[in-house]
Amino acid sequence: MSINTYEKEFLETLKKISRYEQAINVMYWDMRTGAPRKGEESRAEAIGQLSADVFQMRTSPRMKELLDTLAGQKQDLPFDTQKAVEEAKKEYDLNSKIPEEEFKEYTTLTSKAESVWEKAKKASDFSLFAPYLEKIIDFKKRFISYWGYEGHPYNTLLDQYEPGVTVEKLDALFSELREAIVPLVQKIAASDKKPDTGFVHDHFPKERQRDVCHFFLQELGYDFEAGRLDETVHPFQVTISQGDARVTTAYNENDFRSAVFGTIHECGHAIYEQNIDEALGGTNLSDGASMGIHESQSLFYENFIGRHQSFWTRYFDKIKEASPDQFAGVTAEGFYRAVNESKPSLIRIEADELTYPLHIMIRYEIEKAIFSGEVSVGDLPKLWNDKYEAYLGITPPDDAKGILQDVHWSGGDFGYFPSYALGYMYAAQLKSSMLKDLPEFDRLIENGDFQPIRKWLTEHVHIHGKRKKPLEIIKSATGEELNVRHLIRYLEEKYTTLYL
């Protein structure tokens, strides 16, 4: 067989896998947006079966033969095929070490665990979820033993979400960030220059919030012909295919910020997906470069656009029109200060920009402890509460606002949380470079002209998909290695102006 024949079969296999994944993602979206409860068991088994089929395709003897042959004649392949082979080989090397039936059992377990997590959170009862979490962690530890690791066992999980990142690197980055944030948080706590936030918790009807969220998605450039907005318990964005990147949000009628900023956050994820090079469709490169790069886009939209003063200079009248009694007597300046309030809080997705990284550090340290064998599942609620007291000076009153607030562990997504903080660092560094090309950034936002911003991000980040590694994207877009000082400078400047 010629190399072209091998390449054609390899690419056809990738396309077949992508079609299976479309079906899985539709079921996942359905499960999170109101699928009938009585179908949970059957749906979880269906997801498990389809995932096992994908697993088999990725780890079959034929896939190994294709990868070995193509890797051996790499120089004869187009660039995109070379990158696709590299990505598939990494997956093969990981997945082939896990017995197929074991993977199917794990996937079925995580599908069931998410529904159990929802029930446990609603009841604020960790004991309902604990047995599932214990099994998931046991699976993950077993998988790490199959994969192997260097340094800390947690490094293997980190690399799956953020290639090249290790415990050693994160410890250094987080230490520098923490040393800058904590004193600033303390100064703000002592400041008497506090915003008036009373109106924030007034009643804002869900239907009107939905209209506002839909409006902001359109304004920011989200393509509704390639997506939709739905309601869920825990907001997420899911890509079904290149022409179908869906957004969800959660409405709180007593705090509109959750839905508005949550929607803008997921919009950033979706715009990334909607602008990946179409030539990568049906391959394993048609995705974000990493979880951290993906998070950089959602945080860029949420914080550097959605929480920008110029954004609310333009759009305050729009939100005031949606809930006129609530915002009567509130100015655009007062609104801007209120939605940028900084104070310790319990819920990660509702945290302000300044304290948000501390929420991530707590989760990072707990996950490290889990996989080094320092803690058991039964220890987690107390450990969680102790760390919130130590880092933020507050203690969760119940499991729902504490250990059960995030969905990630129900899906086995250990190693994911650090990507949120890395994404924040990436986003700040990208903005610093963007300002060199778009010094009129503030004016663009005030004019509602987001196209140049979106174009810059597409050119430097979106279009590449997984052609480039995360740190390659940062280096090529900014001209330097990852530098946490960009984020520190942004936070110091913004919150000193607001509070000090």
Side-chain angles (χ1 to χ4, degrees), residues 41 46 67 83 98 118 153 155-156 173-174 253 298 309 315 321 323 357 367 376 392 402 434 454 473 478 491 496:
E41 188 81 18
L67 292 173
K83 290 296 179 181
I98 301 173
E118 283 190 21
N155 284 341
T156 294
L173 288 167
F174 284 162
E253 293 191 323
S298 58
Q309 187 163 14
Y315 292 113
E321 178 186 304
S323 190
E367 290 191 351
S376 64
L392 292 158
M434 181 186 289
R454 191 168 63 251
I473 286 177
T478 70
L491 292 172
T496 297

Side-chain angles (χ1 to χ4, degrees), residues 106-401:
Y106 168 75
T107 306
T108 302
L109 170 66
T110 54
S111 298
K112 292 176 180 177
E114 187 163 324
S115 296
V116 175
W117 166 80
E118 283 190 21
K119 293 173 187 173
K121 184 178 180 182
K122 188 174 182 179
S124 191
D125 185 353
F126 180 68
S127 68
L128 298 177
F129 179 58
Y132 288 82
L133 181 58
E134 193 157 10
K135 290 178 183 176
I136 290 169
I137 290 171
D138 286 345
F139 266 111
K140 283 291 184 180
K141 287 182 175 179
R142 206 178 317 152
F143 293 170
I144 290 172
S145 73
Y146 297 153
W147 295 324
Y149 63 89
E150 294 182 11
H152 198 289
Y154 191 56
N155 284 341
T156 294
L157 300 179
L158 287 173
D159 188 69
Q160 292 174 22
Y161 294 102
E162 211 62 27
V165 170
T166 63
V167 163
E168 294 72 25
K169 289 179 182 178
L170 281 178
D171 284 347
L173 288 167
F174 284 162
S175 176
E176 187 174 356
L177 186 56
R178 183 167 53 247
E179 286 175 11
I181 288 176
V182 172
L184 189 52
V185 170
Q186 292 169 345
K187 288 178 184 177
I188 287 172
S191 170
D192 57 5
K193 190 181 174 184
K194 298 287 197 301
D196 175 12
T197 60
F199 64 88
V200 166
H201 300 288
D202 290 347
H203 185 256
F204 194 141
K206 182 195 291 189
E207 317 81 65
R208 294 180 187 174
Q209 287 191 47
R210 186 181 293 114
D211 291 342
V212 166
C213 291
H214 195 281
F215 170 79
F216 284 143
L217 285 171
Q218 287 183 311
E219 286 289 290
L220 291 167
Y222 176 73
D223 183 358
F224 271 98
E225 292 189 1
R228 53 182 289 152
L229 173 64
D230 292 279
E231 184 177 356
T232 189
V233 174
H234 191 104
F236 68 98
Q237 182 273 324
V238 63
T239 300
I240 309 300
S241 66
Q242 278 200 313
D244 190 349
R246 304 182 187 187
V247 170
T248 70
T249 197
Y251 300 102
N252 181 344
E253 293 191 323
N254 296 312
D255 191 343
F256 67 90
R257 294 174 299 181
S258 179
V260 169
F261 292 106
T263 300
I264 294 173
H265 179 97
E266 300 305 333
C267 175
H269 282 303
I271 285 177
Y272 186 177
E273 293 287 333
Q274 290 181 341
N275 287 284
I276 291 173
D277 191 344
E278 290 182 3
L280 301 178
T283 75
N284 53 0
L285 303 179
S286 184
D287 196 0
S290 71
M291 294 301 180
I293 293 293
H294 231 304
E295 198 62 22
S296 76
Q297 301 310 287
S298 58
L299 289 172
F300 192 101
Y301 273 82
E302 178 188 358
N303 293 339
F304 301 146
I305 295 178
R307 295 186 190 274
H308 196 293
Q309 187 163 14
S310 296
F311 189 83
W312 294 110
T313 298
R314 179 173 182 82
Y315 292 113
F316 175 64
D317 286 344
K318 177 67 180 179
I319 202 164
K320 185 174 182 178
E321 178 186 304
S323 190
D325 292 341
Q326 179 177 10
F327 301 117
V330 180
T331 64
E333 169 71 19
F335 183 92
Y336 164 70
R337 293 201 68 219
V339 299
N340 281 285
E341 177 189 25
S342 179
K343 67 178 183 180
S345 60
L346 293 169
I347 308 301
R348 175 185 62 83
I349 63 172
E350 297 173 5
D352 60 80
E353 292 179 81
L354 180 60
T355 60
Y356 183 83
L358 297 175
H359 290 259
I360 301 306
M361 291 178 201
I362 289 169
R363 288 155 176 78
Y364 165 65
E365 291 179 6
I366 290 173
E367 290 191 351
K368 265 201 313 182
I370 287 171
F371 289 98
S372 64
E374 297 171 53
V375 296
S376 64
V377 168
D379 300 325
L380 295 181
K382 183 178 186 305
L383 179 60
W384 182 287
N385 292 352
D386 289 348
K387 285 189 175 290
Y388 264 81
E389 179 61 40
Y391 278 71
L392 292 158
I394 51 178
T395 302
D398 53 45
D399 289 345
K401 291 183 175 66

